[in-house]
Amino acid sequence: SALVLTDGAPEPEATFYQMYNTERVEIFKGPAGFLYGPNPLAGAVNIVRKQPANSDFGTLGLQGGSFSTWQGLLDINQASADGVLSFRLGGLYRETDGYRDGRYGKVAGANPSFTWRPSQDTSLNINLEALSLDYVPDAGIPLIDGELPAVPREQSYASLFDKSEQSVGRAQIDFEHRLSERLTLRNKTFYRGLDWQTDGTLLGFVLPTPDGSAVVTRSLLVLDDDQEILGNQFETLWSAETGPLQHRLVTGIELARYQDVYTLDVGLLPAIDVFDPVEFATEPPPLIPGLSSAGDSRSTVIAPYLIDEIRASDRWSFMLGARYDDIDFEDDISQTSRSQGKLSPLLGGVFEATEDLH
C-alpha cells in the first residue's frame, strides 16, 4: 500500500483529495519506512499545499461543463508591508449532475493559512482546512459474458438509498528556527479528521430470465467511519564536514495517535433487470447476517529517526539512516491489543554521470 500525506503529515484512509490549493505533488517510489514508518510499503505521495506569500494578489475562477457542472475557485493572498505577516485563503465550490442518471455531486472547501516571520531565521505557519463532499456513488454497468450490454451508458443500476457524505478537517502548525548556518530546528504539529458515511450499491452476478432478458444481483454496502490522527514531529537539521565528506544530517522523533471507529454492514437489494431496470426496493434493505464488521481501534506511535545525506564528490552521494517505530495498538470491539517495534534501515547511493543523468 502507499501512504498519502499533506504537507508531510499522514492522511486518513479513503480520503478524497481536492487539488484546488495544491502547489505540487511529490512521489516517492518504493518502500519508505525509513521516513514514514510501516505504512508506505509501495511508496508515498506528499501533497504540498500553497502557502502564504510575501505579496498581495487575488484570483477568482469560474468553470462550467457538461452535465450541469460548474466550479468556483478562490485564491487570495495579503501580506504586511514589512513581510512579517501574511495570509492566504483558498476556496472551492463545485456542483455536478454527473454522467450517470441521478449521480449528482457537491464539494465545498476552504483553506485559510497564516505565516509569521519575525526574522529571517524564524517562521511560524498555521494551516487550517475544511472540506465537505456530498455525492451519490456510481455503481457502474454490469457485464454480460465479459462485455457491456446494449444499454444506454447513462443507465443507473444503483438503489434509491445510495449516498456518500464526507467531512475532512486538517489543522497544522509548522515552526522553523535557524540557530546558525549549520543548525536548524523544525517542529510540525498536525491533526487530521475524517467523518465518512456512505451507502453504495455493489453489482453482483448477471442471471438469465425465462423471458430471454437478464437481471443483475445487488447488495448495499453501508459504511460509517470516523478517523482521527493527532501527532507531532520534531527535527534538527545539521550540516557539517568530516574530511572530504559533506553531511546533511536529519534527526527527529515523531509522536502520533491514530483512532478509527467504524461499522460496515451489507444489505440485500432485489435484483434488477439489465435492459429495463425498475427499482422495487421501497425501504432500507435487510442486513445480511454474518457479513457485518466493526472496529474501535487506537494506535500510539513513538518513532525516532536519523538520516545522513553524505556528499563524497561531485558525482557520488550516499544516504544512511534508520527509523524505529514503537507501536501500541488496541481495539475495544475485538478485544485485541498488541505492542511491537520495527526498525526500518536505509542505505543507498547515487552516481551522477552527468548533470542530466543520475
Side-chain angles (χ1 to χ4, degrees):
S1 61
L3 174 68
V4 179
L5 307 102
T6 299
D7 293 338
E11 286 287 315
E13 296 181 6
T15 306
F16 292 92
Y17 303 99
Q18 308 300 318
M19 312 304 284
Y20 70 102
N21 57 347
T22 300
E23 180 71 30
R24 66 183 185 275
V25 177
E26 302 170 341
I27 299 176
F28 186 100
K29 297 181 180 179
F34 64 93
L35 278 176
Y36 305 117
N39 288 331
L41 301 179
V45 177
N46 184 33
I47 302 172
V48 181
R49 293 178 291 185
K50 299 175 182 177
Q51 303 300 326
N54 189 20
S55 60
D56 295 342
F57 60 84
T59 60
L60 175 64
L62 295 175
Q63 299 173 341
S66 304
F67 314 111
S68 301
T69 300
W70 72 275
Q71 175 176 276
L73 296 170
L74 177 70
D75 187 10
I76 296 177
N77 195 96
Q78 294 287 312
S80 60
D82 57 6
V84 173
L85 297 173
S86 54
F87 166 77
R88 191 164 188 169
L89 174 64
L92 164 69
Y93 186 84
R94 180 171 63 245
E95 284 189 2
T96 181
D97 285 345
Y99 172 74
R100 201 84 62 195
D101 292 343
R103 306 301 100 179
Y104 72 88
K106 181 172 62 177
V107 180
N111 177 203
S113 54
F114 312 83
T115 297
W116 177 47
R117 303 180 184 89
S119 69
Q120 293 183 347
D121 297 328
T122 304
S123 66
L124 176 69
N125 182 267
I126 300 175
N127 223 309
L128 306 173
E129 185 175 6
L131 282 165
S132 175
L133 298 87
D134 183 4
Y135 66 96
V136 178
D138 188 353
I141 295 178
L143 298 177
I144 298 179
D145 296 329
E147 297 183 357
L148 289 172
V151 298
R153 295 300 176 255
E154 299 82 6
Q155 179 66 59
S156 174
Y157 298 88
S159 76
L160 301 176
F161 314 110
D162 284 33
K163 65 178 182 178
S164 184
E165 299 173 353
Q166 187 177 97
S167 298
V168 179
R170 300 183 178 101
Q172 188 163 318
I173 302 175
D174 288 277
F175 174 77
E176 183 171 314
H177 179 63
R178 186 174 65 178
L179 293 175
S180 66
E181 293 184 356
R182 294 182 177 273
L183 183 61
T184 299
L185 305 180
R186 294 195 304 205
N187 192 84
K188 182 192 306 291
T189 303
F190 57 90
Y191 168 83
R192 302 290 188 265
L194 168 66
D195 184 5
W196 191 15
Q197 298 181 15
T198 181
D199 301 346
T201 298
L202 181 64
L203 302 182
F205 300 102
V206 174
L207 303 174
T209 60
D211 60 1
S213 185
V215 296
V216 58
T217 60
R218 301 178 302 164
S219 57
L220 185 71
L221 301 185
V222 181
L223 174 67
D224 188 344
D225 191 9
D226 187 0
Q227 300 179 43
E228 289 188 339
I229 304 173
L230 178 63
N232 190 86
Q233 299 171 354
F234 176 75
E235 292 182 340
T236 64
L237 288 78
W238 179 57
S239 299
E241 294 85 23
T242 55
L245 304 180
Q246 296 179 352
H247 299 265
R248 188 172 182 267
L249 183 67
V250 179
T251 60
I253 184 170
E254 177 178 324
L255 308 175
R257 184 178 187 270
Y258 297 77
Q259 180 172 318
D260 188 0
V261 181
Y262 77 92
T263 58
L264 177 61
D265 300 305
V266 182
L268 180 62
L269 290 170
I272 194 169
D273 194 284
V274 173
F275 300 98
D276 185 21
V278 177
E279 182 60 74
F280 294 103
T282 57
E283 59 184 17
L287 300 182
I288 302 176
L291 296 183
S292 298
S293 62
D296 184 0
S297 63
R298 286 163 299 281
S299 298
T300 301
V301 178
I302 302 176
Y305 54 91
L306 180 149
I307 301 173
D308 189 7
E309 181 182 357
I310 306 170
R311 192 76 182 181
S313 67
D314 292 339
R315 294 190 175 184
W316 283 100
S317 61
F318 302 92
M319 295 284 286
L320 177 66
R323 169 175 167 141
Y324 181 81
D325 286 84
D326 183 80
I327 304 173
D328 287 327
F329 171 86
E330 62 177 286
D331 189 308
D332 290 343
I333 293 181
S334 64
Q335 297 297 308
T336 301
S337 63
R338 60 179 179 269
S339 297
Q340 61 186 40
K342 178 65 176 180
L343 179 67
S344 301
L346 164 67
L347 177 62
V350 175
F351 174 70
E352 303 178 21
T354 66
E355 292 183 357
D356 301 324
L357 181 61
H358 295 226

